[in-house]
Amino acid sequence: MGIRERLSRLTPATGGRIVNLSRRRFLQGAGGLVLGLYFAPLSSPQSNAVAASAATGADFEPNAFVRIAADGRVTVLSKHVEMGQGSYTGLATLLAEELDADWSQVVVEGAPADAKRYANLLFGIQATGGSSAMANAWMQMREAGAAARAMLVAAAAERWQIPEVELQVEAGVIRHPASQRSAGFGELVADAARQPVPAEVRVKEPKDFRLIGKLNLRRKDSAGKTDGSARFTQDVQLPGMLVAVTARPPRFGAKVQRFDASRALAVPGVVGVVAFDASAARGANAVAVLANSTWAAWQGRDALDVSWDEAQAFRLGSDEIIARYRELAMQPGVPARQDGDAVTTIEMAARTLEAEYVFPYLAHAAMEPMNCVVRLSPQHCEIWNGEQWHTMDQATAAKMCGLTPDQVTITQLYAGGGFGRRANPTSDYVAEAVAIALAARAHGFEAPVKMVWTREDDMHAGHFRPLYLHRARLGFDGAGQLLAWEQRIVGQSILHGTAFESVMVKDGIDATSVEGAADLAYAVPALRVELHTPVDITVPVQWWRSVGHSHTAFVTETLIDEAAAVAGADPVAFRRGLLAERPRHRGVLDLVTQRAGWDTPLASAAAGERRGRGVAVHESFNTYVAQVVELTVAADGRYRIDRVVCAVDCGLAINPDVIKAQMEGGIGFALAMALHGAITLKDGVVEQSNFDSYPVLRINEMPVVEVHIVPSAEKPSGVGEPGVPPLAPALANALFAATGQRLRSLPLPAALRLA
Amino acid sequence: MLTLNINGQPHMLDVPAEMPLLWALRDVIGLTGTKYGCGKALCGACTVHIDGQPVRACVTPVGSVGDKPVTTIEGVGSERAGRAVQTAWRELDVVQCGYCQSGQIMAASALLSINPAPSDADIDAAMAGNICRCATYVRIRAAIHAAASALA
Ligand code: FES
Ligand code: FES
């Protein structure tokens, strides 16, 4: 069973109990209308009791999503972090749509850590990830908005003594046309707060949407992110705060043996040096320099003298890991998918094709290196973070501090990129910050601590997309028709040794290692996918934008292209033939090929140049994406990507412009992976440290991108990750079309050798 | 004691002359819009203007600035090109995570003040030092063209 299926079993129905928080708040003089929804877990034995107490309006904690102030300002509380993917704008759109709010009056705030109110309905814990924000919030935020609207309408009807049906609501104003009376939301909040919460709310029919699906809705985070006022963790300044910079071990698994702080302490501004151990949370066992400025802390760190105990350190290089994986790939693994008898079919086949693929470790390299602010007091741990994984981080911090989770509060700030890095299954960097704050306190520093990683620290800390090796074999009949497909995947399990292993690793298969391959969309007569999960490779690994699909889609979508070539078929026609049962795959494939002009030849190249075009289609996180890459190969073998045409089917499009932006960004992110992305180890040491040795995409490498959205009434699905998987295989297929060369490992060479 | 002229205001600082301008701005003066991304002049997140020129604050010792005027993202909106760039950025919703965007806007407004009608190639050449890990590059190009038209 894939992750999606497993998670969907945890999905409660969209029903929820809506509770008026403001009745209590109102008495406390806070004013305004605050509306929450409380979702009782359906399977919980407590749900009846909870429902009953909800009915009496006492004794439970409602889940607040919206606050309307007397000045008419509507504040939406986002349970999902904004790390660029547009979640603040998306959640606000859903709520404001049903509230009939004035978009310009809507602001968004990050919700606090409180899993009872703010759980991701697909995960059961409070977390952002798996491109799930819109899918799980789709009904929840709309119902919250509809309930608030109903109470405002009831308040107006009561004030004017007229039936509710005679009222109209638009852009934050309630009108009674017959008597020409009107009132803004702000004027009604005090009365609305006294209204009973409607037992049931109706949400709009899509034809009545005023905000959802509209291209002209602007993002909620643009203003602050263009004038320097948006607040990231890096920007937090608290009274008396100390900056902590860490001296990190050279190899994974190494520990501090001893250190000499005297030279560091001589640096002006450095106030202390402490050892800390966050290795239980897969953070570092290391030394932190505490100073009153980042610059002083850096200099103090550079002046530190630390010797390391490397008895348990990981010491292999990437080449040795690849060699071991290659051996494993020659042996049968644990089956993740078996349809028919692929092994025998391939042995008997008239023609076979065998190929090996290698994918290196990858760093997320979010623009904001990881950091975290912690303030401790005896009964409280406060955390400021671009918080993506609230429930886990709260539990980890509580355990480390000897507190209960509700004594840990988290302020969710803007995250300067994440790409998976901030959802660490063991809370590594948050745990490091807490460990440093605890160590500082033990040394008499009561100050809040801001742990700041340098770019180099961020790149050396691990938690990479794992290195994978695939070995594939195809069998064909004498006419070149594809009969069987066998694929072996070798690589570390992201979930191994984490709290998620017991839920998400089944029968030896970590679903995140094989997703995108074990659920191959093509109707191949015989299919076998196997997995090897080496556990003696202890490099810390983590999900990375699109997770398993970041490597599986490259293999499946280049391999199907190879099969098309063997069959002598057009790559698009060949795919369509094997996607008879997959209408949404076909939908994006048809749209992308039509918009790219697949049936007309590419404009020809200049003398000495060759042009090529390649296609790929892939579903991830319930969203379907197809891309066509057009490129030009110069006479010296270098190539440039001229244009990428993309079609996406993510169900009903909530914010079309955000969807386009995520496709554009996903394409650029994937292009960075395809052209440059590689973290390599030598004797256990990471060889890259900054953007000179780990290049990412720059503007001069960014092609023209066109994005087309398939009109759909299906339930919305995510867009943060699904734009990534198809790009690299479409690019490799385009290089094949231009040069006849098959490239099977990433990153691609900067230049092809041309005959 | 050093005196810096930042966004038209004098600031007195008691910091070592070799402290990079980036950390003086962020940690000492409290102007946190200018960001740290690499510390080695590789990413452009820390771009400010000194005397109107785009400069990487992470490798600029504060002692080398002298009395030359420094403009940061917090002040660039009071300049004509900077305001046009900010407006275009908002109209086209360029930002994603936003962390690189202060630097992008500073680099773009510096470009427009010397080249009022840049081509795509001019933009690529001027902006290649500014990394956007979210890859908002398609919109950066479009927004620079939009700002150029607005200024024309
Ligand atoms: S932080 Fe200055 S260029 Fe990257
Ligand atoms: S918007 Fe995220 S790095 Fe540029």
Side-chain angles (χ1 to χ4, degrees):
Chain A
M1 186 163 25
I3 292 189
R4 207 175 49 242
E5 289 73 24
R6 297 199 62 78
L7 288 175
S8 67
R9 292 203 312 184
L10 302 171
T11 309
T14 51
R17 189 160 287 277
I18 297 166
V19 177
N20 187 352
L21 251 187
S22 27
R23 275 189 284 190
R24 273 184 296 168
R25 293 259 177 96
F26 191 71
L27 294 174
Q28 293 158 4
L33 172 63
V34 182
L35 197 75
L37 286 179
Y38 179 74
F39 285 84
L42 293 183
S43 55
S44 153
Q46 293 172 340
S47 56
N48 288 340
V50 170
S53 69
T56 62
D59 220 38
F60 61 88
E61 287 187 322
N63 173 3
F65 291 109
V66 59
R67 186 165 72 226
I68 304 175
D71 65 0
R73 175 179 283 231
V74 175
T75 302
V76 174
L77 284 110
S78 174
K79 64 180 185 176
H80 291 298
V81 68
E82 176 58 70
M83 45 193 171
Q85 83 282 36
S87 55
Y88 276 19
T89 303
L91 296 187
T93 303
L94 298 178
L95 193 138
E97 174 69 67
E98 299 293 343
L99 182 59
D100 280 313
D102 174 1
W103 186 244
S104 69
Q105 293 269 64
V106 176
V107 296
V108 185
E109 258 177 33
D114 182 345
K116 283 206 282 291
R117 302 186 200 183
Y118 296 117
N120 184 321
L121 301 180
L122 300 180
F123 300 169
I125 59 170
Q126 188 177 355
T128 304
S131 295
S132 65
M134 302 318 292
N136 92 89
W138 168 239
M139 288 307 291
Q140 187 180 45
M141 294 302 280
R142 291 169 69 205
E143 285 170 356
R149 182 188 189 276
M151 293 166 70
L152 288 159
V153 166
E158 195 178 272
R159 184 182 294 182
W160 297 330
Q161 292 297 305
I162 46 171
E164 290 183 12
V165 291
E166 293 179 15
L167 295 173
Q168 294 172 358
V169 190
E170 194 180 341
V173 178
I174 301 187
R175 280 176 226 286
H176 184 238
S179 64
Q180 295 196 338
R181 275 177 292 195
S182 71
F185 286 175
E187 300 166 58
L188 291 162
V189 290
D191 291 347
R194 293 190 198 93
Q195 297 296 324
V197 176
E200 245 176 40
V201 289
R202 290 251 299 267
V203 294
K204 292 180 184 176
E205 295 295 322
K207 66 175 172 45
D208 298 322
F209 288 158
R210 290 169 170 152
L211 304 176
I212 293 174
K214 300 296 179 281
L215 252 179
N216 59 0
L217 217 59
R218 300 274 57 90
R219 285 179 74 111
K220 281 296 163 200
D221 51 349
S222 268
K225 289 177 177 178
T226 50
D227 66 8
S229 65
R231 204 150 154 263
F232 297 83
T233 308
Q234 191 86 251
D235 306 331
V236 172
Q237 303 276 6
L238 298 173
M241 186 182 82
L242 295 173
V243 176
V245 170
T246 54
R248 313 182 66 78
R251 292 180 174 83
F252 301 116
K255 297 197 282 254
V256 179
Q257 194 163 48
R258 51 168 188 78
F259 66 93
D260 177 356
S262 51
R263 283 175 55 231
L265 288 166
V267 172
V270 171
V271 301
V273 177
V274 296
F276 66 95
D277 184 6
S279 57
R282 295 191 180 174
N285 178 312
V287 181
V289 174
L290 304 168
N292 57 24
S293 79
T294 316
W295 175 243
W298 274 13
Q299 293 197 304
R301 194 267 304 265
D302 292 348
L304 259 187
D305 182 12
V306 188
S307 39
W308 303 95
D309 167 2
E310 299 201 89
Q312 303 294 319
F314 181 79
R315 303 203 75 120
L316 290 182
S318 291
D319 290 345
E320 292 146 295
I321 296 171
I322 291 168
R324 287 195 187 186
Y325 285 8
R326 186 167 285 140
E327 268 175 43
L328 278 173
M330 300 308 288
Q331 300 151 27
V334 181
R337 172 87 180 260
Q338 306 182 67
D339 287 357
D341 185 352
V343 176
T344 313
T345 312
I346 291 167
E347 265 153 29
M348 315 280 290
R351 191 167 168 186
T352 59
L353 187 158
E354 233 179 293
E356 182 193 272
Y357 305 79
V358 181
F359 304 96
Y361 289 109
L362 293 174
H364 303 77
M367 209 65 220
E368 180 185 19
M370 296 303 109
N371 47 34
C372 183
V373 179
V374 177
R375 179 160 64 192
L376 298 177
S377 59
Q379 295 303 317
H380 199 184
C381 169
E382 294 169 273
I383 293 174
W384 287 259
N385 183 24
E387 183 63 49
Q388 189 180 348
W389 212 229
H390 306 69
T391 305
M392 291 305 301
D393 292 344
Q394 201 178 25
T396 303
K399 195 167 154 209
M400 293 174 72
C401 298
L403 299 172
T404 55
D406 59 4
Q407 291 173 304
V408 177
T409 53
I410 301 181
T411 302
Q412 172 195 305
L413 299 167
Y414 283 131
F419 316 118
R421 181 63 181 88
R422 295 173 190 276
N424 187 281
T426 52
S427 307
D428 72 313
Y429 75 90
V430 173
E432 284 192 13
V434 173
I436 293 167
L438 285 167
R441 195 170 60 172
H443 282 75
F445 299 105
E446 293 292 335
V449 170
K450 172 158 75 173
M451 182 192 76
V452 173
W453 280 2
T454 62
R455 173 61 55 199
E456 290 82 0
D457 295 338
D458 192 81
M459 217 164 267
H460 292 162
H463 302 280
F464 303 129
R465 198 285 306 271
L467 185 158
Y468 287 97
L469 184 142
H470 293 224
R471 180 168 178 270
R473 292 195 303 159
L474 301 184
F476 302 88
D477 68 13
Q481 286 309 306
L482 178 60
L483 300 176
W485 176 306
E486 184 197 53
Q487 187 173 349
R488 277 193 198 133
I489 302 173
V490 188
Q492 288 170 260
S493 161
I494 293 166
L495 297 165
H496 176 66
T498 73
F500 300 89
E501 187 170 17
S502 59
V503 191
M504 286 165 64
V505 178
K506 280 285 170 268
D507 304 324
I509 301 289
D510 178 339
T512 68
S513 298
V514 298
E515 58 184 0
D519 52 349
L520 185 76
Y522 299 109
V524 180
L527 172 64
R528 185 175 179 90
V529 179
E530 297 174 1
L531 177 67
H532 287 280
T533 305
V535 292
D536 56 341
I537 306 296
T538 53
V539 178
V541 292
Q542 196 172 330
W543 25 61
W544 186 96
R545 196 175 187 178
S546 82
V547 198
H549 304 277
S550 67
H551 54 102
T552 58
F554 184 82
V555 177
T556 58
E557 281 301 296
T558 55
L559 201 49
I560 202 76
D561 228 62
E562 297 207 41
V566 170
D570 169 73
V572 171
F574 186 78
R575 283 175 171 81
R576 287 191 100 259
L578 296 176
L579 292 170
E581 306 293 318
R582 304 285 186 145
R584 295 180 77 182
H585 284 83
R586 287 201 320 276
V588 286
L589 197 54
D590 289 350
L591 182 60
V592 83
T593 48
Q594 180 207 335
R595 295 306 177 109
W598 185 266
D599 294 328
T600 49
L602 268 180
S604 51
E609 293 185 337
R610 313 172 192 205
R611 299 207 70 209
R613 182 163 60 188
V615 69
V617 56
H618 193 79
E619 175 268 328
S620 58
F621 310 96
N622 278 343
T623 290
Y624 302 76
V625 180
Q627 291 167 2
V628 169
V629 168
E630 296 172 358
L631 51 76
T632 304
V633 183
D636 64 359
R638 293 172 182 277
Y639 51 92
R640 65 162 192 272
I641 293 109
D642 303 311
R643 181 169 80 136
V644 179
V645 184
C646 174
V648 52
D649 173 358
C650 55
L652 190 143
I654 297 167
N655 298 106
D657 198 47
V658 171
I659 295 167
K660 289 187 177 192
Q662 284 307 297
M663 292 301 119
E664 293 161 6
I667 285 165
F669 193 84
L671 203 46
M673 166 186 84
L675 298 177
H676 307 299
I679 289 285
T680 54
L681 302 179
K682 193 163 184 200
D683 191 20
V685 176
V686 176
E687 293 186 284
Q688 293 71 27
S689 54
N690 207 317
F691 292 121
D692 46 359
S693 44
Y694 187 77
V696 297
L697 202 78
R698 292 178 183 271
I699 194 169
N700 53 307
E701 297 173 315
M702 187 76 189
V704 170
V705 176
E706 288 173 26
V707 180
H708 304 282
I709 301 173
V710 174
S712 170
E714 300 277 340
K715 193 168 180 280
S717 47
V719 292
E721 299 170 273
V724 172
L727 189 278
L731 168 54
N733 292 338
L735 286 169
F736 171 77
T739 67
Q741 294 184 32
R742 285 291 176 194
L743 297 163
R744 299 198 180 99
S745 291
L746 295 180
L748 299 167
L752 277 69
R753 266 203 299 264
L754 299 178
Chain B
M1 269 296 181
L2 283 162
T3 304
L4 292 183
N5 171 1
I6 300 165
N7 300 329
Q9 302 282 325
H11 290 266
M12 307 257 285
L13 311 181
D14 183 13
V15 299
E18 66 276 11
M19 177 186 274
L21 175 60
L22 173 64
W23 300 113
L25 289 171
R26 292 182 51 82
D27 286 355
V28 184
I29 300 171
L31 289 171
T32 54
T34 306
K35 296 294 191 256
Y36 163 78
C38 70
K40 302 233 163 104
L42 297 167
C43 79
C46 64
T47 306
V48 299
H49 298 173
I50 298 181
D51 241 350
Q53 299 296 311
V55 167
R56 307 295 186 227
C58 67
V59 292
T60 304
V62 73
S64 72
V65 178
D67 56 6
K68 288 183 274 228
V70 178
T71 306
T72 69
I73 185 67
E74 289 89 351
V76 79
S78 57
E79 295 171 6
R80 192 164 167 263
R83 190 164 50 243
V85 169
Q86 282 174 327
T87 304
W89 245 246
R90 289 169 194 166
E91 281 171 358
L92 294 178
D93 272 351
V94 172
V95 307
Q96 290 189 25
C97 84
Y99 195 80
C100 74
Q101 298 293 351
S102 298
Q104 305 284 358
I105 287 168
M106 297 309 288
S109 52
L111 166 66
L112 287 178
S113 57
I114 54 160
N115 181 351
S119 65
D120 277 352
D122 296 337
I123 292 172
D124 286 0
M127 304 293 293
N130 287 79
I131 290 171
C132 176
R133 186 65 170 138
C134 302
T136 61
Y137 300 125
V138 169
R139 291 178 191 225
I140 289 174
R141 274 191 208 122
I144 292 175
H145 288 306
S149 318
L151 287 168

